[in-house]
Amino acid sequence: MKQFLKNPLPTVRPEELKGKLIVIEGPDSSGRSTQIELLTKWLELKGYPVVCTGLKRSILVANELELALKGNVLSPRTLTLFYATDFYDQLENVIIPSLRAGFIVLADRYIYTLMARAIIRGAEREWIEAIYEMAIIPDLVLYLSVSPSVLVERTFQAHQQLDYWESGMDLGFSKDWFTSFLKYQRKMRLEFKKMEKKFQFEIVNANRTPKSVDRDLKARIARVLNGS
Amino acid sequence: MRKEDAFNQRSEIKGRLIVVEGTDGSGKSTQAHLLYEWLLGLNYKVFFSEWNSSEIVKGATRKGKKRQALTRTTFSLIHATDFADRYERQILPMLKAGYIVICDRYIFTAFARDSVRGCNLEWLKKLYSFAIIPHITFFYRVPLEVACERILSGRPQLKYFEAGMDLNLSQDIVESFKIFQGKILRTYLSLSRQYKFTTIDGTKDVHYQQTLARKIMEEKIDLSRFRKRGAV
C-alpha cells in the first residue's frame, strides 16, 4: 500500500492507489528523457498503461514558473514554493488519478530534485521536508548518477552551452560557468548521496551507454512489477 | 553564528511589524490605513503592505481561481508563494532597514482560511515558519452577524472563493459565505490565544478603536526611534 512522506493528502485514501509510481531522478543530460521513452515503449508492449509526468508541467503555474526562471526575479524561497505548487498540482491532478486507475506513473524527476536544489541554496532541511510531507513515497526511485565531467561533455554535445540554473549560476560560486557547473553538480550529487538511505534510492551508474543503462533500469523495474 | 545565505536572512531586525487581522467586514483595513496615515503624518519611517499584491504570482492565482482549478493544497501553496515573494522583497528588507511595517493581513489569514479549507494547521505553521511573529497583532473582533451585515449590504457581489463555495457548505452563496466566515472567526479565536493577539472590539466607534490602537502602539513601541532623519 502506498505511503506518504508523513501525512496523507486530506482527500486521498492510500488503499485506492493501485498503480505504481516509478521515479527517474538525475541531472540534465543524464539521459532521463531517453530512458523514459524507452521504458514507456517497453511497458506498453508488456501491456501496462503508462502516464509520464515531470517538473514544471502543471497547467496551473508552469508558464508563470518558466517566466520567473527566465527573468531570475524570484528569491530561492519563493521559487521553492512556486515549484511546490507546481508539484502538488500534478500530484493531485495527474499522479493520484492515474494511480487510482491502475497506471504506471513514470515521473521525470520528483520531490528529491526540488529538495536538493533548495537545500544547496540554504533551505532548512526540516522546512523543505515539511512542505513535501504529503507526497507519495514512490515504489521505486532510480537515480541516474553521472560524473560531472561526463555531464559537461554530454551537455555540450546536445546544447553547445551550459544552462544557467543547471550551472547553479544564481549561487555565485564562480563567474566562470564551467567552474560553477562542476561545483554545482558535485554538490547536487553529494546531496543525492545523502538522501539515498533516507529515501531508499537505487543509484544507477549512468556513465555507461544508453543501452546498458536501459537494460539495468528494466531489470530493476521488472522486480517491482513482479513483486506485487 | 550561522552564515547568511540566500534563505536565511537573519540579520538584526530593527523595525517593528504591526499586523491587523480579522474576518471580512471587521473594519481592519480602515484601521490599518488610519494607523499608517498617523505615522506618516508624524514623519516616521513607515511602510504599508497589503495582502496579495505581488506581481509575478498574481497571474497564476487569477488563472487558478477563474478556472476553479485549485485544490485546498495548491490554493494554500500559491498564496504562500505570493506571500514569500512579498515578504522577502518588501517586508523583511523594510524591517531590517528599521521601518515600522503595517500589514493588512499576515500569516494568520492563511492559517485561518486554509485550515478551514481542510489543510493541516501544523503543516501551515511549518510552511510559513520563515516569517517572523509580529510585534503587535491587532485582532478586530466582530460578531459574525455584524460582519456579514456589513459585507452583504455594502458589496453584494460575493466572489466564489471568498464565499468558500469550493467547500460545498451551501448551494446558496450568501449562506455559504456566512458559514465560511463563522468557521474562520472560530479559528481566529483559537489562534488569538496562542499568538497573543491584541483584541479590539470592532463594533465600537471607528475613531474610538483607532485612538485605542494608537495608545497601545505608543505603550509598546518607542516610536521616537522611528522618526525620519532630518525631521523636526
Side-chain angles (χ1 to χ4, degrees), chain A residues 60 101 112 154 160 166 168 170 172 198 213 216 227:
Chain A
L60 189 60
Y112 311 108
R154 286 196 193 161
Q160 291 82 47
E166 283 287 303
D170 61 310
K198 184 165 191 181
V213 174
D216 192 343

Side-chain angles (χ1 to χ4, degrees), chain A residues 69-85:
Chain A
L69 287 172
K70 280 218 178 86
N72 192 8
V73 283
L74 298 180
S75 75
R77 194 180 302 277
T78 312
L79 257 188
T80 298
L81 288 166
F82 219 166
Y83 266 112
T85 312

Side-chain angles (χ1 to χ4, degrees), chain A residues 24 39 47 54 124 127-128 136 148 182 196 213 217 222 224:
Chain A
I24 312 289
L39 291 173
E124 310 81 359
W127 182 68
I128 192 78
I136 294 173
L182 289 181
E196 177 191 357
V213 174
L217 295 180
V224 170

Side-chain angles (χ1 to χ4, degrees), chain A residues 2-224:
Chain A
K2 295 278 180 294
Q3 287 186 329
F4 295 81
L5 240 56
K6 192 165 168 229
N7 294 314
L9 276 164
T11 52
V12 180
R13 283 182 301 129
E15 62 273 17
E16 38 169 40
L17 305 176
K18 291 169 300 190
K20 298 276 183 211
L21 174 59
I22 295 167
V23 171
I24 312 289
E25 283 280 6
D28 279 2
S29 297
S30 61
R32 289 186 331 265
S33 45
T34 310
Q35 294 300 336
I36 284 175
E37 223 171 283
L38 293 169
L39 291 173
T40 306
K41 278 193 186 136
W42 173 68
L43 288 166
E44 288 182 342
L45 205 67
K46 286 166 77 86
Y48 292 103
V50 178
V51 159
C52 295
T53 138
L55 309 180
K56 239 177 8 186
R57 296 193 199 167
S58 73
I59 294 167
L60 189 60
V61 298
N63 286 341
E64 286 76 7
L65 192 46
E66 191 62 51
L67 279 176
L69 287 172
K70 280 218 178 86
N72 192 8
V73 283
L74 298 180
S75 75
R77 194 180 302 277
T78 312
L79 257 188
T80 298
L81 288 166
F82 219 166
Y83 266 112
T85 312
D86 173 77
F87 171 77
Y88 276 103
D89 190 50
Q90 293 191 82
L91 180 67
E92 292 183 284
N93 292 311
V94 179
I95 299 178
I96 286 173
S98 302
L99 291 175
R100 275 201 189 112
F103 277 62
I104 293 182
V105 178
L106 289 179
D108 183 347
R109 306 219 247 209
Y110 199 62
I111 57 171
Y112 311 108
T113 287
L114 300 174
M115 297 202 300
R117 281 182 189 160
I119 287 167
I120 285 178
R121 286 170 176 82
E124 310 81 359
R125 212 170 278 275
E126 211 178 297
W127 182 68
I128 192 78
E129 286 181 12
I131 289 178
Y132 290 111
E133 70 178 33
M134 296 169 293
I136 294 173
I137 298 176
D139 295 278
L140 183 63
V141 183
L142 299 163
Y143 175 66
L144 304 185
S145 174
V146 180
S147 75
S149 54
V150 173
L151 215 52
V152 169
E153 283 172 28
R154 286 196 193 161
T155 307
F156 282 139
Q157 214 157 16
H159 308 289
Q160 291 82 47
Q161 58 181 358
L162 299 170
D163 175 72
Y164 179 90
W165 295 99
E166 283 287 303
S167 306
M169 285 305 285
D170 61 310
L171 286 163
F173 291 145
S174 167
K175 289 209 163 81
D176 177 62
W177 285 55
F178 178 70
T179 312
S180 181
F181 180 89
L182 289 181
K183 187 159 184 196
Y184 180 68
Q185 292 300 336
R186 278 194 200 109
K187 277 188 174 262
M188 283 293 281
R189 226 170 158 217
L190 212 69
E191 197 47 53
F192 267 99
K193 283 231 168 76
K194 276 189 208 158
M195 290 196 281
E196 177 191 357
K197 275 233 173 65
K198 184 165 191 181
F199 298 109
Q200 296 176 313
F201 295 170
E202 297 193 13
I203 297 191
V204 177
N205 174 7
N207 290 315
R208 299 171 294 170
T209 62
K211 216 172 181 178
S212 54
V213 174
D214 178 47
R215 225 175 295 139
D216 192 343
L217 295 180
K218 283 174 182 167
R220 290 169 196 263
I221 291 172
R223 244 181 285 141
V224 170

Side-chain angles (χ1 to χ4, degrees), chain B residues 1-224:
Chain B
M1 217 176 81
R2 225 195 124 124
K3 197 177 137 258
E4 286 224 358
D5 53 40
F7 265 90
N8 302 289
Q9 305 155 354
R10 295 186 201 277
S11 72
E12 204 195 340
I13 285 172
K14 289 180 287 185
R16 286 292 175 266
L17 177 61
I18 313 299
V19 166
V20 300
E21 290 275 5
T23 54
D24 287 354
S26 63
K28 63 184 178 310
S29 299
T30 307
Q31 292 295 330
H33 172 73
L34 290 173
L35 285 177
Y36 173 67
E37 290 299 329
W38 171 51
L39 296 171
L40 203 63
L42 290 173
N43 228 339
Y44 290 150
K45 287 169 77 176
V46 62
F47 173 75
F48 186 76
S49 178
E50 265 174 292
W51 186 254
N52 213 5
S53 52
S54 128
E55 271 310 312
I56 301 144
V57 194
K58 214 189 247 172
T61 317
R62 207 182 295 130
K63 188 169 70 184
K65 285 188 176 171
K66 211 178 192 171
R67 297 191 189 167
Q68 300 174 8
L70 296 164
T71 65
R72 68 193 90 191
T73 309
T74 52
F75 182 94
S76 181
L77 280 166
I78 207 162
H79 283 94
T81 309
D82 188 73
F83 174 80
D85 188 41
R86 197 161 48 90
Y87 182 76
E88 301 206 316
R89 195 186 297 274
Q90 300 183 321
I91 299 175
L92 191 58
M94 288 280 180
L95 287 173
K96 285 182 177 177
Y99 276 72
I100 297 173
V101 178
I102 297 175
C103 277
D104 186 353
R105 295 173 177 272
Y106 194 62
I107 57 174
F108 309 112
T109 289
F111 291 178
R113 181 199 57 201
D114 298 353
S115 70
V116 166
R117 283 215 153 74
C119 288
N120 179 322
L121 184 56
E122 292 313 307
W123 180 70
L124 292 167
K125 285 179 186 170
K126 280 183 273 181
L127 189 62
Y128 282 97
S129 60
F130 59 90
I132 71 158
I133 301 299
H135 296 90
I136 305 176
T137 304
F138 288 115
F139 172 58
Y140 291 89
R141 185 174 178 174
V142 166
L144 183 61
E145 309 76 56
V146 178
C148 288
E149 165 63 27
R150 285 181 187 170
I151 290 291
L152 297 173
S153 65
R155 189 185 48 167
Q157 277 285 25
L158 289 170
K159 292 190 191 129
Y160 183 85
F161 279 97
E162 257 178 19
M165 285 299 279
D166 54 317
L167 292 170
N168 290 319
L169 301 166
S170 166
Q171 293 287 85
D172 179 53
I173 192 160
V174 172
E175 194 53 34
S176 170
F177 177 79
K178 285 180 184 164
I179 302 171
F180 185 53
Q181 290 295 321
K183 285 172 183 274
I184 285 181
L185 181 59
R186 278 196 293 282
T187 314
Y188 266 130
L189 293 176
S190 79
L191 289 171
S192 166
R193 282 184 289 277
Q194 198 182 345
Y195 291 97
K196 304 192 169 59
F197 291 171
T198 303
T199 302
I200 291 186
D201 184 347
T203 59
K204 291 275 187 341
D205 174 69
V206 175
H207 179 254
Y208 170 84
Q209 289 180 52
Q210 182 62 203
T211 310
L212 184 60
R214 288 181 184 187
K215 213 175 109 214
I216 292 168
M217 277 186 61
E218 281 171 337
E219 279 166 12
K220 291 196 176 176
I221 298 171
D222 178 11
L223 290 172
S224 64

